[in-house]
Amino acid sequence: MSLNVMLHHLVPALAAAGNSEGGEMHQPGPNDFWQPLIHIGGNDNFAITRPALVALATVAVIGWFFVSTARSLSVVPSRKQWYAEQAYDFVRNTIGRDVIGAKDFKPFLPLLLTVFFFILLNNVVGIIPFVQFPTMSRIAFPLVLALIVYVVYNVTALKRKHGLIGYLKSLVPPGIPPGINVLVFVIELATYLIIRPVTLALRLFGNMLAGHMLLLVFFVGAEYLLFESQGIGMKAAGAVSFAGGVLMTFFELLVEVLQAFIFTMLTAVYIADAVSDHH
Amino acid sequence: MSITALSFLAAAGGEEAVNPLLPQPMEIVGALVAFGILYWLFKTKVVPNMEAMYAERTAAIEGGMQQAEAAQAEAAAAKAQYEAQLLSARTEANEIRETARAEGASITGEMRTQAQAEAARIVDNAQRQIEAERQQAVVSLRQEVGTMSTTLASKIVGESLEDEVRQKGIVDRFLAELEAGDVRPEKVGSAGQDA
């Protein structure tokens, strides 16, 4: 088994993207992220894609871990329970309780936990061999999450601030002179209704797409330089590219965890905003 | 990286350009299903159990602290009791010592009295013995003196008294006097018997 074939085995994305036997170098692009696996009918819209299956697989893993742990909890934790508690407590205390407040955070715990662990695992599988696809680099996933958060914080605000009028009134902080008053209201309204969900979805999507594309560039380039091109200089450049790709993989891990944290943190901030009594 | 640049890259790859900002419907369904399942699991199976366990743990820790406080109070009570016992034991020991001392003194006194009584008894006994021996000596001396004086008197009076008949007569007379109840010989007899 040649190294080339092995690399293709270990990096399925490469297998899909870098099949450029003897020809020109494949240039990684957004098309590489369109990976329908099961076609239903002739329409691409209804094809079951690789990220959809990855998402369901991560749900199975997260669900198994937490449900199996939560089924037999004891006051003195086992090792597995301790790990689960650390993860749970991070979302519960650091994100939920500290941001939303001890009084109101409990009803939102399932949402925060779901959002955090769903994004975290789907991001991290982007660098895990044999999966190696960041689900969130497909706009549908961050979009759905952002819309769910959008609905939750707006509905909560409508409930807490006594209806639509109260909600709209709460957008403008008191003590702003008339005239500027209106301007602030428009900006705030745009923030709450448009900017927040869009940025929430696009931030996660963009980071994951760009990060994974960067890895593709490094590894596809390394493969081309090492195996397709001639000359010691090209091979050396290929080795450097490979090393750079490995380095970027660690960097990518950091970004993946950070993005999961940021998304969940912002979710908590928006909810905190909605449950707060004043602006 | 702008969308046009991405499109350019894709075009350079020789494929039909895909707009990455257009969600695929099936992936939206997949995302909703995945999120829905996970949310349901967290809401019904994980969060209630975890929160219940935390509440239980808080209760257990509080209970443990109460238990510790109770144990401390118990220890303090035990200590107080022990000290009280020690104090009473010390008092008791003192009492016993005092009693023993008093008893010892009384025993010594008693012994002394007994010894003195014994000594007095011994002295008394000795004196009485001496007295009895003296009496005996007096009696026997009197008898001897009597006999000797009789003998001496008979020697002085002469042979006549040695006459058997007369002698018999005197003795008879003396015996008769004795039977008649003369006091003198009884006195002598009782003194002799006493010895």
Side-chain angles (χ1 to χ4, degrees):
Chain A
M1 188 187 266
S2 77
L3 191 58
N4 193 355
V5 175
M6 234 168 73
L7 201 63
H8 276 152
H9 260 273
L10 285 172
V11 190
L14 291 185
N19 273 332
S20 49
E21 296 294 326
E24 266 190 33
M25 177 191 161
H26 167 81
Q27 293 181 345
N31 284 14
D32 295 331
F33 292 83
W34 168 241
Q35 294 184 19
L37 293 183
I38 304 162
H39 289 277
I40 300 169
N43 196 335
D44 272 354
N45 280 342
F46 301 107
I48 293 171
T49 59
R50 183 168 161 186
L53 292 180
V54 170
L56 291 173
T58 57
V59 166
V61 170
I62 301 167
W64 166 79
F65 179 67
F66 279 103
V67 171
S68 70
T69 310
R71 195 167 282 163
S72 57
L73 291 173
S74 67
V75 172
V76 180
S78 64
R79 178 180 286 262
K80 185 184 167 202
Q81 188 189 327
W82 189 83
Y83 285 127
E85 271 182 38
Q86 293 303 303
Y88 183 94
D89 282 353
F90 174 72
V91 178
R92 180 189 192 268
N93 299 336
T94 310
I95 298 176
R97 195 184 59 196
D98 293 356
V99 175
I100 300 175
K103 191 163 64 79
D104 293 311
F105 79 102
K106 285 219 170 133
F108 302 103
L109 260 185
L111 175 74
L112 295 177
L113 289 162
T114 308
V115 165
F116 181 75
F117 289 110
F118 186 59
I119 296 176
L120 181 70
L121 211 67
N122 275 292
N123 283 354
V124 171
V125 291
I127 58 168
I128 288 177
F130 304 108
V131 182
Q132 255 166 346
F133 193 101
T135 316
M136 298 299 158
S137 64
R138 294 290 293 169
I139 186 71
F141 294 92
L143 196 65
V144 164
L145 292 178
L147 284 176
I148 288 168
V149 172
Y150 179 73
V151 169
V152 167
Y153 80 74
N154 276 315
V155 168
T156 306
L158 285 175
K159 269 190 202 160
R160 288 303 192 94
K161 296 181 199 300
H162 313 293
L164 187 63
I165 306 296
Y167 186 21
L168 294 179
K169 269 186 188 166
S170 78
L171 293 180
V172 185
I176 291 184
I180 300 177
N181 204 331
V182 179
L183 199 64
V184 171
F185 176 74
V186 172
I187 293 171
E188 289 290 299
L189 194 65
T191 304
Y192 276 72
L193 295 185
I194 302 161
I195 297 172
R196 278 183 174 181
V198 170
T199 51
L200 204 55
L202 284 186
R203 183 186 301 107
L204 179 58
F205 161 71
N207 269 288
M208 287 306 106
L209 179 80
H212 199 66
M213 192 117 68
L214 200 64
L215 293 187
L216 276 181
V217 170
F218 271 104
F219 285 117
V220 172
E223 188 209 19
Y224 181 78
L225 289 169
L226 282 172
F227 301 113
E228 310 291 342
S229 55
Q230 308 297 319
I232 189 76
M234 290 296 224
K235 304 260 185 214
V240 171
S241 178
F242 185 79
V246 171
L247 191 70
M248 290 312 291
T249 303
F250 287 108
F251 186 67
E252 187 62 13
L253 178 63
L254 177 71
V255 172
E256 283 161 351
V257 175
L258 211 56
Q259 284 304 318
F261 175 64
I262 289 171
F263 195 103
T264 318
M265 192 57 134
L266 285 173
T267 302
V269 168
Y270 298 159
I271 291 171
D273 224 3
V275 299
S276 71
D277 294 329
H278 45 84
H279 170 71
Chain B
M1 200 178 277
S2 73
I3 295 165
T4 46
L6 290 175
S7 312
F8 169 75
L9 279 174
E15 292 162 47
E16 196 190 336
V18 172
N19 186 350
L21 282 175
L22 281 181
Q24 190 233 11
M26 207 60 180
E27 283 183 351
I28 291 182
V29 174
L32 284 170
V33 169
F35 183 91
I37 293 171
L38 200 55
Y39 184 82
W40 178 75
L41 287 177
F42 271 116
K43 192 175 172 69
T44 60
K45 302 218 183 296
V46 179
V47 172
N49 289 5
M50 292 293 275
E51 296 302 317
M53 187 271 294
Y54 283 148
E56 201 178 315
R57 180 176 293 170
T58 310
I61 289 169
E62 275 170 4
M65 279 160 98
Q66 276 172 354
Q67 227 168 5
E69 269 169 24
Q72 219 163 9
E74 206 173 301
K79 193 183 168 221
Q81 197 186 346
Y82 167 76
E83 274 170 359
Q85 276 178 350
L86 201 65
L87 194 69
S88 77
R90 215 169 268 164
T91 321
E92 205 176 323
N94 269 347
E95 269 168 26
I96 290 170
R97 205 180 296 142
E98 285 303 309
T99 320
R101 198 174 287 156
E103 228 168 81
S106 81
I107 286 170
T108 314
E110 209 173 294
M111 291 305 254
R112 192 176 293 144
T113 322
Q114 259 181 11
Q116 277 169 350
E118 183 83 355
R121 195 177 61 82
I122 290 167
V123 168
D124 194 39
N125 260 5
Q127 273 174 348
R128 263 202 291 183
Q129 206 167 344
I130 290 166
E131 180 65 21
E133 274 170 10
R134 195 180 67 86
Q135 284 287 350
Q136 207 175 357
V138 167
V139 169
S140 74
L141 196 64
R142 189 176 286 163
Q143 273 180 345
E144 254 173 68
V145 168
T147 315
M148 275 165 73
S149 58
T150 309
T151 312
L152 188 65
S154 68
K155 271 186 180 164
I156 293 166
V157 175
E159 304 288 315
S160 63
L161 274 177
E162 285 177 2
D163 180 32
E164 225 175 296
V165 180
R166 284 192 184 188
Q167 209 172 13
K168 271 184 182 171
I170 287 169
V171 173
D172 287 341
R173 205 166 51 231
F174 182 69
L175 286 173
E177 270 175 15
L178 274 175
E179 279 171 357
D182 199 351
V183 200
R184 236 187 44 166
E186 262 188 37
K187 260 183 191 170
V188 173
S190 76
Q193 268 171 358
D194 207 7

